[in-house]
Amino acid sequence: EIVLTQSPGTLSLSPGERATLSCRASQSVSSSYLAWYQQKPGQAPRLLIYGASSRATGIPDRFSGSGSGTDFTLTISRLEPEDFAVYYCQQYGSSQLTFGGGTKVEIK
Amino acid sequence: EVQLVQSGAEVKKPGESLKISCKGSGYSFTSYWIGWVRQMPGKGLEWMGIIYPGDSDTRYSPSFQGQVTISADKSISTAYLQWSSLKASDTAMYYCARHYTRYYYYMDVWGKGTTVTVSS
């Protein structure tokens, strides 16, 4: 099973700042199978990024994804108040899907 | 509008059985995998398994194999997650999600979740 490790666990930032979230895989992951989700309290997760770098429908361009192999990054260029949430990366490989443990982006 | 509508919250006792549902609409239900994701209180997301309603092909995460059963009734565009004997540790939120699997692999449509509480 491929293990995804997200860091940091919590990111304390102010609105307008840049957020950089990391997702590291225990072995190489196909970029096509790497996605990012946002989850706010009391809500279902929402797809942000698929294929490591493609934004899902309706996702603002302040969200971007990059990376390949074992290292992937989600960047939020300028945090808006509605962006404070938990973010999860996800990969699919060998007929199994796994999530990272999540990064909470909180207001500083 | 593409949506997944999940059944309501459940409160059960240990040892009881349970089947929760997820009804798809607005798209061809038989053409996409549907999966289930568990979120225990205050914890992260765990993928449980998926089913392809078109032919009922089912895959499970090793962590959930033998613990739950995923099924679907394509005639009513509904997927199910069931337990034969609940445990307190099954207390969680359960989400169903449509899986996009053509070249990419991601979950693009999510249900709002079903809360399952197991307590004596």
Side-chain angles (χ1 to χ4, degrees):
Chain A
E1 173 184 298
I2 296 176
V3 176
L4 298 178
T5 301
Q6 291 188 241
S7 62
T10 301
L11 199 50
S12 298
L13 294 167
S14 300
E17 290 194 293
R18 181 184 188 89
T20 303
L21 287 66
S22 172
C23 175
R24 180 160 291 176
S26 59
Q27 55 188 277
S28 186
V29 170
S30 168
S31 293
S32 295
Y33 295 166
L34 194 288
W36 290 90
Y37 301 86
Q38 176 194 65
Q39 187 179 32
K40 297 179 182 179
Q43 296 185 16
R46 175 175 73 144
L47 176 69
L48 293 177
I49 301 286
Y50 65 91
S53 61
S54 297
R55 276 188 299 278
T57 303
I59 301 303
D61 60 7
R62 63 179 180 273
F63 291 91
S64 63
S66 62
S68 63
T70 60
D71 288 298
F72 298 88
T73 300
L74 174 69
T75 301
I76 311 172
S77 59
R78 292 174 312 279
L79 283 164
E80 297 288 340
E82 62 267 28
D83 299 337
F84 292 91
V86 179
Y87 293 84
Y88 295 95
C89 56
Q90 165 248 295
Q91 71 80 36
Y92 176 79
S94 302
S95 299
Q96 294 298 315
L97 185 150
T98 55
F99 290 100
T103 290
K104 181 179 182 179
V105 179
E106 66 176 22
I107 299 176
K108 187 174 181 181
Chain B
E1 178 192 6
V2 176
Q3 59 179 347
L4 298 173
V5 178
Q6 296 189 231
S7 50
E10 301 276 0
V11 179
K12 292 288 191 179
K13 290 182 167 46
E16 292 187 330
S17 63
L18 175 65
K19 192 173 188 177
I20 62 175
S21 67
C22 170
K23 182 175 175 62
S25 63
Y27 73 100
S28 175
F29 187 74
T30 54
S31 299
Y32 290 82
W33 292 82
I34 286 273
W36 291 91
V37 174
R38 183 175 79 173
Q39 188 166 40
M40 299 178 77
K43 302 299 184 183
L45 306 173
E46 300 173 272
W47 184 75
M48 302 176 72
I50 49 173
I51 187 165
Y52 190 74
D55 61 7
S56 293
D57 186 8
T58 308
R59 318 272 172 86
Y60 292 93
S61 161
S63 300
F64 292 93
Q65 179 84 48
Q67 307 305 307
V68 297
T69 301
I70 295 171
S71 60
D73 183 342
K74 62 183 179 182
S75 69
I76 55 171
S77 300
T78 301
Y80 301 97
L81 177 66
Q82 69 180 84
W83 295 259
S84 59
S85 180
L86 286 160
K87 302 185 282 287
S89 57
D90 293 317
T91 294
M93 177 71 83
Y94 293 88
Y95 295 103
C96 63
R98 188 178 80 166
H99 285 49
Y100 184 92
T101 61
R102 300 173 183 86
Y103 184 71
Y104 298 105
Y105 201 102
Y106 54 84
M107 289 167 273
D108 61 344
V109 182
W110 293 69
K112 293 187 185 302
T114 295
T115 300
V116 173
T117 303
V118 183
S119 174
S120 55

